[in-house]
Amino acid sequence: MQTETTLDTYEDLLQAIVANDGGREISDPATGEVVGRAPEHTTADLDAAVDAARAAQPAWAALGHEERSAFLNRAADAVERSAEALARLLSREQGKPLNGPNARFEVGACAAWLRATASFELRPEVLVDDGESRAELHYRPLGVVGAIGPWNWPMMISVWQLAPALRMGNAVVVKPSEYTPLSVLALAAVINQELPAGVLSVVSGGRGVGERLAAHPGIDKVMFTGSTATGKAIIRSSADTVKRLTLELGGNDAGIVLPDADPAAIAEGLFWGAFINTGQTCAALKRLYVHEDIYDAVCDALVGFAGQMPMGVGLEEQNVLGPLQNKAQFDIVADLVQAAKDSGARVLLGGEPEAGQPGYFYPTTLVADIDNDNPLVAREQFGPALPIIKYSSVEEAITMANGLDVGLGASVWSSDPAKAREVAARIEAGTVWINKHGAVDPRVPFGGAKASGYGLEFGVEGLKGLGAPQVISY
């Protein structure tokens, strides 16, 4: 193990990860208060981390699946011991509240994903066994995996990347978002209490570090969650070294409410599908298509539910919605809502940030009577503003839902399961949920269609994506 120091308290975590000299100041997006200083690693630091990973990886791979799974389970224990400290740090750095499907939920998901990944069985697949010949498909470790994560779910998505990579016998070098490096540094410090040295490291640096990681000859695969534009840049940077890639890119998820749905019954699911993490989720519901027969009833039900959800500073226990994580994202949401208002769309709730308050708070916003080509619909807002579009026929709704070049997730809402499945099968998205939205499961593969990326995460298929397939034939 890398350290004998316990990291069970918030103060212990900060002491372990915050730069004493230099570094970059990280502020709480809810209050503007300084959380700590993140170390500013360089490309030389990245090179050293990759060298250490390459040195440690063969012995890690040699342990085998069972022993590596035992390490992951002990890492989950460590996360649970430090859960409250991790959640508090996450809330302060990212802005999400402690309660609701937010900071405590995210830390709990980290432990759950580690355990689930440790539990999956990956056995050789017998391809041919006809008495004369036998062929088996095996998966071998790739070597060193580079993981580049986002700022919206920094701990959980890092675990989505590092857990299967480690389980498959790879070493991992993580490059967190510049907005939320402390959360990922803290998570790695906790996990590294249980792992051999060099197997997992975090390099907290700027854009140049990310570009170097994508092109680094010592990195065998890159996993990335983030925007489509950055994903395209990673594809280009990785080309010369023919890296394997798993890319979970931007989404603008559609939800279709069929005319037989019960507005009151689906309001809560629609709300959390759209506003989980204050709308800052790649696979959140970002444009809602509602049949004209129940349009007003769905709008009313959503306003009634959304108006009860408290927004505020994350460390205040009553809140379940928080600020936008950064000023750039706040401006995107504000500009898109303003464009909708300027076009004549009807604001049902929110739409006006409170002047003079600290933090990047944008109120929960519902916008009705909006055209499908309005920027708030056509562009990914990634924040607490949901456009609600009226449709007349299911064919029209499917056409609009499929009309963009992204397809991460989608949902269909109906009282008729058979009809819902029929519509779901026609939507161009990696995952289509029925009467829920965004409910990921560590056992169920997850990935995007079209410009929302390629490759699968989670489950046995996710493990395979972190291995090199090898056929042994005899």
Side-chain angles (χ1 to χ4, degrees):
M1 295 5 131
Q2 295 188 27
T3 178
E4 296 298 325
T5 304
T6 59
L7 301 173
D8 301 347
T9 70
Y10 181 79
E11 291 72 22
D12 289 340
L13 277 181
L14 282 184
Q15 186 173 358
I17 62 172
V18 168
N20 293 321
D21 299 309
R24 185 167 50 86
E25 207 169 76
I26 301 295
S27 298
D28 184 333
T31 65
E33 297 172 353
V34 174
V35 180
R37 303 190 70 87
E40 282 277 52
H41 294 138
T42 65
T43 54
D45 295 317
L46 173 65
D47 291 344
V50 173
D51 287 345
R54 297 205 73 83
Q57 188 270 331
W60 176 248
L63 293 176
H65 281 293
E66 186 173 341
E67 194 163 350
R68 290 195 299 271
S69 290
F71 272 102
L72 292 188
N73 280 317
R74 291 196 292 272
D77 293 341
V79 170
E80 289 172 345
R81 288 194 301 269
S82 300
E84 188 61 20
L86 288 168
R88 184 180 170 196
L89 175 60
L90 177 61
S91 181
R92 293 200 67 206
E93 182 180 48
Q94 201 281 336
K96 63 184 66 184
L98 290 171
N99 291 319
N102 292 297
R104 289 176 177 138
F105 168 87
E106 180 168 347
V107 175
C110 290
W113 240 270
L114 285 162
R115 294 196 195 285
T117 304
S119 73
F120 300 138
E121 292 189 6
L122 182 58
R123 301 182 184 280
E125 300 174 31
V126 178
L127 307 175
V128 175
D129 188 9
D130 58 9
E132 295 183 2
S133 63
R134 181 179 173 93
E136 298 173 347
L137 177 60
H138 298 252
Y139 289 86
R140 310 298 188 195
L142 291 164
V144 177
V145 172
I148 304 175
W151 48 259
N152 58 333
W153 296 90
M155 290 184 181
M156 186 171 72
I157 291 177
S158 291
V159 167
W160 290 359
Q161 296 169 333
L162 67 88
L166 291 170
R167 164 66 194 280
M168 283 300 296
N170 304 292
V172 184
V173 178
V174 179
K175 195 280 181 190
S177 166
E178 295 170 68
Y179 288 114
T180 53
L182 298 178
S183 297
V184 179
L185 286 162
L187 177 68
V190 168
I191 291 175
N192 271 331
Q193 293 175 107
E194 302 296 338
L195 295 181
V199 168
L200 172 65
S201 59
V202 178
V203 180
S204 167
R207 181 175 178 178
V209 172
E211 291 173 346
R212 171 62 176 163
L213 186 150
H216 202 294
I219 297 287
D220 300 288
K221 173 163 184 158
V222 171
M223 301 185 75
F224 171 72
T225 296
S227 71
T228 297
T230 303
K232 290 178 179 178
I234 288 172
I235 293 169
R236 289 189 290 268
S237 296
S238 68
D240 286 345
T241 50
V242 198
K243 292 191 196 320
R244 276 67 174 163
L245 299 174
T246 294
L247 304 174
E248 194 256 86
L249 307 179
N252 194 343
D253 287 16
I256 298 177
V257 180
L258 300 184
D260 64 9
D262 179 345
I266 66 174
E268 182 175 358
L270 288 173
F271 175 83
W272 285 117
F275 292 96
I276 186 173
N277 198 27
T278 315
Q280 300 167 106
T281 297
C282 296
L285 173 56
K286 299 189 175 78
R287 47 196 174 111
L288 182 63
Y289 298 95
V290 182
H291 192 270
E292 59 189 5
D293 289 353
I294 58 170
Y295 186 82
D296 290 339
V298 169
C299 288
D300 290 345
L302 270 172
V303 169
F305 188 87
Q308 303 174 41
M309 296 296 105
M311 175 183 287
V313 176
L315 294 183
E316 296 173 2
E317 296 280 347
Q318 75 275 14
N319 294 320
V320 294
L321 298 171
L324 277 302
Q325 201 284 324
N326 54 79
K327 179 64 161 57
Q329 196 58 44
F330 177 94
D331 289 343
I332 289 171
V333 174
D335 289 348
L336 288 173
V337 173
Q338 187 60 52
K341 292 195 291 187
D342 292 345
S343 75
R346 179 164 57 105
V347 176
L348 303 175
L349 183 70
E352 290 289 345
E354 183 180 333
Q357 72 170 343
Y360 304 127
F361 288 98
Y362 197 91
T364 304
T365 299
L366 297 168
V367 181
D369 301 337
I370 186 169
D371 293 333
N372 190 54
D373 59 358
N374 189 282
L376 182 60
V377 181
R379 302 177 191 169
E380 184 181 25
Q381 70 276 44
F382 217 71
L386 178 66
I388 310 170
I389 306 98
K390 185 185 297 182
Y391 73 88
S392 300
S393 71
V394 174
E395 289 297 324
E396 177 190 12
I398 293 171
T399 297
M400 290 190 291
N402 289 338
L404 301 181
D405 65 350
V406 289
L408 187 58
S411 56
V412 181
W413 304 76
S414 172
S415 298
D416 183 344
K419 180 62 176 177
R421 289 193 295 270
E422 178 185 317
V423 173
R426 299 179 59 194
I427 298 178
E428 298 166 355
T431 299
V432 183
W433 293 277
I434 293 175
N435 292 329
K436 58 186 176 181
H437 193 107
V440 293
D441 185 313
R443 301 165 297 181
V444 179
F446 179 73
K450 300 192 281 191
S452 289
Y454 48 77
L456 290 172
E457 299 177 271
F458 312 162
V460 174
E461 294 303 316
L463 287 181
K464 291 178 180 177
L466 274 304
Q470 180 187 51
V471 173
I472 297 178
S473 184
Y474 56 93

